Amino acid sequence: MTEVSFREIYRMILTVAAYKGGVGKTTSAVHLAGILQQKAPTLLIDADENRSALGWAGRGELPFKVVGEQQGPRFAREHTHIVIDTAARPEAQDMKELVEGCDEIILPCTPDALSLDATMLTVEALKKIKGARYRVLLTICPPLPNRDAEEARKTLEEQKLPIFKHQIRRLVAFQRAALAGQMAYQVNDPRAAQAWADYVAVGREITG
């Protein structure tokens, strides 16, 4: 497993949100929680009605605690960092509360037209909220010679949206991790280390 090396950070609350399903929202929440766990005790709060993060944790053993939304307040005080896996397409009031209650919102986006459109809608909603801090994370990016991820990044940059420099590749290791209830680096897959390295790189961008 590649360890994350970053400067000392204080309590951090990250929210992972998306208007569209199938963009790697829970995968991102799980692995970002794994990144923060390397520095201090981290809690992942599953606020999605599908309970995907809780299901992931229930199939195996993750290196951090995962609880439902109602249990969040009880366990939050015991953890330094918190990652929130939100419900799909949060309402305007929910979005406002998320902005006010976290340090940054991560917006996973796959490199396809429908996901890009949904991300634009999310950003428009965030722009209406004072103090909103957010960045787009390109996920499930196909390998070269496919240029979809490159074109999606260009589109996002043309819209002057904040976007992570690094992106998450489309790798089977993530699917195997979800099925086994593990982190990507734990699964028996030849590209497991590469899958984990993608989130390590994103983690460094978040923590500095």
Side-chain angles (χ1 to χ4, degrees):
M1 177 182 66
T2 303
E3 295 291 333
V4 185
S5 175
F6 46 77
R7 62 177 173 78
E8 187 69 25
I9 59 174
Y10 297 98
R11 180 179 178 88
M12 178 171 286
I13 302 176
L14 298 178
T15 293
V16 185
Y19 269 19
K20 182 181 178 297
V23 296
K25 179 170 66 68
T26 297
T27 298
S28 295
V30 166
H31 285 84
L32 291 175
I35 296 292
L36 293 175
Q37 176 67 28
Q38 291 188 351
K39 191 65 177 177
T42 298
L43 177 68
L44 174 55
I45 298 176
D46 188 348
D48 193 333
E49 61 184 13
N50 293 325
R51 296 293 185 262
S52 298
L54 281 167
W56 191 318
R59 287 188 289 272
E61 186 176 352
L62 294 174
F64 48 84
K65 191 169 187 63
V66 183
V67 300
E69 186 175 14
Q70 301 304 317
Q71 295 175 299
R74 174 186 172 190
F75 291 97
R77 67 175 70 98
E78 303 171 9
H79 295 80
T80 303
H81 306 306
I82 298 173
V83 177
I84 304 170
D85 184 11
T86 67
R89 198 176 180 87
E91 299 292 336
Q93 183 58 37
D94 294 332
M95 189 70 80
K96 183 175 185 295
E97 291 176 1
L98 290 172
V99 167
E100 294 173 349
C102 75
D103 297 296
E104 184 172 11
I105 295 181
I106 313 298
L107 304 174
C109 175
T110 52
D112 61 84
L114 291 177
S115 184
L116 286 168
D117 287 346
T119 299
M120 299 295 185
L121 289 173
T122 310
V123 169
E124 287 304 311
L126 287 168
K127 284 181 177 179
K128 298 175 183 177
I129 305 172
K130 183 178 180 181
R133 292 186 58 195
Y134 57 89
R135 272 185 284 183
V136 179
L137 174 62
L138 281 173
T139 57
I140 318 180
C141 296
L144 295 173
N146 188 299
R147 298 286 178 181
D148 287 354
E150 182 180 312
E151 291 300 318
R153 180 175 294 276
K154 181 179 178 182
T155 297
L156 293 166
E157 289 175 345
E158 287 175 347
Q159 295 296 318
K160 302 188 184 304
L161 301 187
I163 181 172
F164 285 96
K165 295 177 182 178
H166 295 89
Q167 58 197 36
I168 309 302
R169 285 171 282 190
R170 186 182 66 196
L171 296 172
V172 174
F174 292 123
Q175 299 171 8
R176 291 179 174 170
L179 289 172
Q182 298 177 323
M183 305 295 294
Y185 62 77
Q186 296 175 299
V187 299
N188 182 18
D189 185 277
R191 303 190 71 183
Q194 295 176 33
W196 175 242
D198 283 356
Y199 278 105
V200 168
V202 172
R204 290 195 178 111
E205 288 191 61
I206 292 172
T207 58

